[in-house]
């Protein structure tokens, strides 16, 4: 009998190339999604795992009750639920099976078919049955709707990733998110976290073996969690948000009513009791969860925001300031909800791009007809048609048609790009003219657009340096203010003769002021907005650290080929040097010979000359020299300068003309007969149209530019002078470029821009590495810190400007948060601030920093 655990099963399935979807399907063809119309594949593993089918289990509430009952049974190591198929796999020894079944039956759930008896000695199989024709209504009256069998696995349109999905009921504000993030960063194997505050869910990218460690880390921080098999639906999340907002508005209304009783009602015991009752009701409506979290924090010896608010509200109520206590709690809870929604808006700003990709594509069928299909079901290699005005649903390569495509959602380019057969197209872009047919090159889950969203979400999960500093500061600031409040409450009556009630009230005001919400959220909302703003412009920044650091760059290394130049040889000059009377015939002779060669220089000559090639006989090539052949009975050669010189055909006049081209870094080919040179062809890697402007913009932001190239000195200097770089370094090998970057980085912050494999060492060594053309190639992506989705070098200067703007707003937010608190701190100590004012100051500061950070999502001006 095998004792394989659920973790081992997951590992074996991963090895076999299968993935577990939100619905529990283990089919390699499922793609991580459960389909009503498809039966999931059988994934049978011979283990000691108990496999049960529970026909009446079909919603998260029922899953939670079963999970709570089964996990109490001794020997249960893990569970895996499949609500779509009403399945449950329990990893437990066989002697625990009867207890598992009894516990489930005791909740009113029948198991059908019954599990094999442990005494039978046979091994069970973990398998998934066919998906039913559709979901049935949930039996639990507290469940608002059944689980939908849907492919939408990620909340808010984000990209889903394999791992642990948890519901954390007490997590509803950015401060608590930061607290959980700090706790889980210390758990081994946790690779990434994705928070959804409105839904109160947390996705943890970690192996199944880390589940217990994650849950325990959350418990140690004071957060209970529930494992979910799939995210709540968007409708369910929206409904819960509406309910919460309604509850808080009602609490605020009751708090205002209590305040009215305090000011306008007769000063009698009856009206005081009524007013206190209204205040207590308002506090109960808005603050029960705050009290629970605050008490939990105090029992653990922690002073977090909930502990401060709980002490302040209870203290205010006990000293007779019950109207203020009610108003403070209602306003605080409402502010927390607004903050959570605002941060969530920033985090999901880029995820909205996913909606740009259509859910259906028009696919050619085997019989030649065209049919609309779900994009996620379209196979790689399928032929898809896109009409004018439609968006591309998938990535692919054009096979027929011509048209202009708006690629701004992916690359940030404002000008449409012409597409022809052989060109790549990307999901989410818009076909503006002409019908295009393309072959799908990537599945829907792996498009460039999905990759952008995934990359931004990963970057958002990392804390920037300023954010780490603020978190450390807040960890000291809050306890310090708490101690100060205690000193005011206990010390001032004894030392300064203050009235005890006055001293306690001032101390409570200080506690409200001590709330670190505005300070804690001042950095993440700004960094997240900056990352999203960059992605919208076709700039993928791999983390807040690089977004912050880009502003410090003082020197930038630039690869030449493909970065400053087009990276493709081009015929830039041609000159017939004999008076033949027919220049067109001479040029056709050159094109005829070049057309037979596959050398890049020859290809450039062919592309640059008009006319049809002539027939060539006796064609041959001379290694390192050129080609030769016979046309119309005459032998010609098309070769380099050295070969023509060896043939003795270079006159002084010709040498002068050749030197003029070579001094500009051009590669030369010469057409010659047996007696004379007929024509000169100059080929060069031309600079991009935007390069000179890009260099000027880099200089405008204070960056010195250095071109690093393996080309010869003459070519390098010609290109450098043309584009306006500050310094040129030629004849460099990849290790030479890396050595320059490393040496320069020792004295100042240095960036590196490149697009090829040979640039990877330099990109990795730089303070910030920029990779060009990331939308069309995987080259140098891993080594770079910033990915420019198109070939526009101007994006580098734009990144630096965005970095400077982000840093400025970061410190604006920190100054606002601390400045407002400092003002009210002084007012509180000198008796000019009430709890009302304190909570308005805290709420106002929080909303100010949130909305200030969201300004980064607006277009950036140069």
């Amino acid at each position: 009998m095998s004792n394989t655990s659920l973790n081992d099963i997951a590992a074996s399935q991963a090895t076999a190339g299968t993935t577990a979807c939100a619905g529990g399907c283990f089919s390699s063809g499922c793609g991580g999604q459960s389909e009503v119309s498809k039966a999931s594949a059988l994934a049978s593993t011979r283990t000691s795992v108990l496999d049960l089918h529970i026909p009446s289990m079909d919603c998260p509430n029922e899953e939670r009750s079963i999970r709570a009952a089964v996990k109490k049974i001794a020997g249960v190591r893990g569970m895996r639920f499949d609500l779509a198929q009403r399945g449950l796999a329990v990893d437990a020894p066989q002697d625990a099976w009867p207890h598992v079944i009894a516990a489930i039956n005791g909740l009113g759930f029948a198991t059908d078919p019954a599990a094999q008896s442990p005494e039978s000695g046979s091994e069970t199989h973990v398998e998934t049955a066919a998906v039913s024709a559709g979901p049935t209504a949930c039996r639990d009256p507290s469940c608002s709707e059944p689980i939908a069998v849907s492919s939408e696995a990620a909340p808010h349109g984000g990209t889903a990733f394999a791992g642990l999905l948890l519901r954390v009921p007490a997590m509803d504000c950015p401060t608590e998110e930061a607290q959980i993030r700090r706790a889980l960063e210390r758990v081994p194997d946790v690779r990434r976290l994705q928070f959804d505050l409105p839904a109160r869910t947390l996705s943890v990218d970690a192996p199944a073996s880390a589940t217990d460690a994650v849950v325990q880390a959350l418990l140690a921080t004071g957060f209970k969690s529930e494992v979910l098999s799939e995210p709540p639906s968007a409708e369910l999340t929206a409904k819960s948000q509406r309910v919460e907002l309604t509850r808080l508005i009602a609490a605020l209304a009751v708090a205002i009513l209590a305040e009215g009783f305090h000011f306008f009602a007769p000063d009698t015991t009856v009206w005081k009791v009524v007013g206190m009752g209204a205040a207590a009701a308002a506090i109960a409506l808005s603050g029960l969860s705050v009290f629970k979290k605050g008490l939990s924090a105090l029992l653990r010896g922690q002073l977090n925001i909930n502990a401060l608010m709980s002490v302040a509200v209870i203290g205010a109520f006990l000293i007779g300031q019950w109207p203020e206590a009610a108003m403070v709690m209602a306003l605080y809870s409402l502010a927390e909800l607004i903050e959570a929604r605002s941060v969530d808006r920033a985090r999901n700003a880029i995820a909205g791009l996913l909606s740009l990709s259509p859910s259906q594509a028009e696919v050619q069928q085997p019989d030649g007809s065209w049919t609309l299909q779900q994009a996620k079901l379209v196979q790689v290699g399928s032929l898809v048609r896109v009409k004018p005005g439609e968006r591309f649903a998938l990535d692919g390569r054009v096979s027929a048609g011509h048209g202009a495509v708006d690629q701004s959602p992916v690359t940030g380019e404002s000008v449409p790009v012409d597409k022809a057969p052989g060109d790549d197209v990307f999901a989410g872009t818009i076909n503006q003219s002409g019908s295009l047919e393309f072959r799908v090159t990537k599945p829907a889950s792996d498009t460039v657009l999905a990759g952008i969203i995934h990359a931004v979400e990963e970057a958002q999960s990392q804390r920037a340096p300023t954010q780490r500093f603020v978190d450390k500061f807040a960890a000291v600031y809050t306890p310090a203010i708490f101690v100060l409040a205690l000193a005011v409450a206990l010390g001032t009556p004894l030392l300064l003769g203050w009235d005890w009630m006055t001293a306690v009230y001032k101390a409570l005001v200080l506690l409200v002021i001590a709330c670190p919400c505005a300070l804690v959220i001042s950095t993440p909302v700004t960094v997240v907005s900056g990352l999203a703003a960059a992605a919208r412009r076709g700039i993928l920044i791999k983390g807040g650290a690089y977004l912050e650091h880009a502003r410090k760059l003082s020197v930038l290394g630039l690869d030449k080929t493909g970065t400053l130049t087009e990276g493709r040889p081009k015929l830039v000059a041609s000159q017939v040097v004999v008076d033949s009377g027919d220049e067109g015939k001479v040029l056709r002779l050159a094109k005829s010979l070049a057309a037979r060669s596959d050398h890049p220089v020859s290809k450039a000559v062919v592309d640059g000359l008009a006319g049809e090639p002539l027939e060539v006989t006796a064609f041959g090539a001379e290694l390192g020299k050129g080609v030769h052949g016979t046309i119309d009975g005459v032998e010609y050669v098309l070769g380099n300068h050295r070969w023509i010189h060896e043939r003795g055909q270079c006159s002084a006049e010709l040498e002068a003309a050749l030197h003029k081209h070579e001094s500009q870094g051009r590669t030369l080919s010469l057409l010659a007969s047996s007696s004379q040179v007929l024509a000169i062809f100059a080929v060069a890697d031309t600079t991009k149209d935007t390069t000179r402007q890009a260099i000027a913009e880099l200089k405008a932001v204070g960056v010195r530019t250095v071109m690093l190239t393996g080309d010869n000195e003459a070519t390098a200097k010609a290109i450098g002078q043309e584009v306006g770089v500050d310094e040129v370094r030629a004849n460099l090998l990849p290790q030479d470029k890396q050595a320059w970057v490393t040496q320069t980085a020792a004295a100042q912050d240095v960036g590196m821009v490149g697009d090829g494999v040979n640039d990877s060492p330099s990109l990795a060594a730089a303070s910030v590495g920029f990779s060009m053309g990331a939308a069309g190639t995987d080259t140098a992506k891993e080594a770079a810190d910033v990915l420019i989705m198109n070939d526009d070098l101007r994006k580098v200067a734009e990144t630096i400007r965005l970095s400077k703007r982000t840093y400025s707003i970061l410190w604006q937010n920190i100054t606002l948060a601390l400045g407002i608190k400092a003002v009210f701190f002084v007012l509180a100590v000198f008796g000019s601030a009430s709890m009302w004012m304190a909570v308005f100051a805290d709420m106002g500061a929080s909303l100010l920093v949130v909305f200030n950070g969201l300004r980064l999502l607006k277009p950036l001006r140069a």
Side-chain angles (χ1 to χ4, degrees), residues 575-578 644 649-651 654 658 670-680:
Q575 178 183 0
V576 177
V577 296
V578 295
I644 300 300
Q649 295 179 306
C650 284
S651 63
L654 180 63
L658 298 181
L670 293 89
L671 177 67
S673 64
S674 57
S675 59
Q676 60 182 336
V677 174
L678 304 178
I680 302 171

Side-chain angles (χ1 to χ4, degrees), residues 69 73 247 258 267 309 445 467 507 578 605 754 767 834:
I73 300 171
R247 176 174 57 81
D267 188 15
M309 289 303 301
S445 59
Q467 187 176 348
V578 295
V605 171
S767 304
S834 65

Side-chain angles (χ1 to χ4, degrees), residues 503-528:
V504 170
Y505 182 79
K506 289 183 178 181
L508 295 177
V509 174
L510 285 178
L511 287 183
V512 176
I513 294 173
C515 293
C517 274
L519 184 62
V520 171
I521 68 171
S522 63
T523 48
V525 70
T526 305
V527 172
V528 165

Side-chain angles (χ1 to χ4, degrees), residues 174 335-346 517-527 529 809 812-814 816-817 842-857:
E336 290 288 285
L337 179 64
I338 295 172
E339 288 170 19
R341 288 194 176 186
S342 300
V343 172
D344 196 60
R345 174 192 166 192
C517 274
L519 184 62
V520 171
I521 68 171
S522 63
T523 48
V525 70
T526 305
V527 172
S529 296
I809 291 179
Q812 286 175 22
N813 282 346
I814 293 171
L816 273 173
D842 180 71
M843 180 176 70
S846 298
L847 296 181
L848 272 176
V849 299
V850 166
F851 294 133
N852 194 37
L854 290 176
R855 286 196 300 123
L856 282 171
L857 295 175

Side-chain angles (χ1 to χ4, degrees), residues 340-363:
R341 288 194 176 186
S342 300
V343 172
D344 196 60
R345 174 192 166 192
R347 180 176 290 114
N348 290 287
I350 194 63
L353 288 177
L354 196 63
S355 62
L356 297 178
S357 183
S359 60
Q360 292 184 317
E362 191 176 14
V363 184

